[in-house]
């Protein structure tokens, strides 16, 4: 069974979902989940706060490369 590893920790669920969408589009399975820091904070309610993006260890290097290739929003060259 492949080992799961944390690729990155981000500040919110929407940010985590955006990053997971980049990875999934590249064929890399991933999940996002609350960090241990946020566990129990909402007592069963929706929790806001840091999220971990988790991938299979065998996909870690490729996932890092996919994220390196992403350009921040709003940085397209304007001619």
């Amino acid at each position: 069974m492949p080992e799961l590893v944390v690729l990155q920790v981000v500040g919110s669920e929407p940010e985590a979902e955006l990053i997971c969408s980049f990875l999934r589009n590249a064929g890399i399975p991933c999940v996002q989940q609350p960090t241990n820091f946020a566990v129990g904070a909402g007592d069963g309610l929706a929790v806001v706060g840091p999220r971990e993006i988790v991938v299979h260890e065998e996909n870690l290097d490729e996932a890092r490369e996919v994220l390196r290739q992403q350009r921040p929003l709003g940085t397209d060259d304007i001619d």
Side-chain angles (χ1 to χ4, degrees):
M1 178 180 221
E3 182 76 21
L4 295 175
V5 295
V6 176
L7 168 66
Q8 187 172 0
V9 175
V10 296
S12 68
E13 186 173 1
E15 185 178 3
E17 279 301 322
L18 178 63
I19 291 170
C20 277
S21 72
F22 294 145
L23 297 173
R24 290 179 189 126
N25 285 339
I28 301 170
C30 71
V31 295
Q32 55 93 6
Q33 62 191 16
T35 64
N36 286 340
F37 179 76
V39 171
D43 288 332
L45 302 173
V47 177
V48 296
R51 308 291 285 189
E52 296 175 337
I53 299 164
V54 180
V55 298
H56 292 287
E57 186 174 33
E58 63 195 29
N59 295 330
L60 185 59
D61 290 336
E62 184 181 1
R64 286 179 177 154
E65 183 58 31
V66 167
L67 295 185
R68 264 194 293 277
Q69 293 176 6
Q70 296 306 311
R71 297 177 77 178
L73 296 175
T75 61
D76 292 335
D77 293 334
I78 300 174
D79 292 327

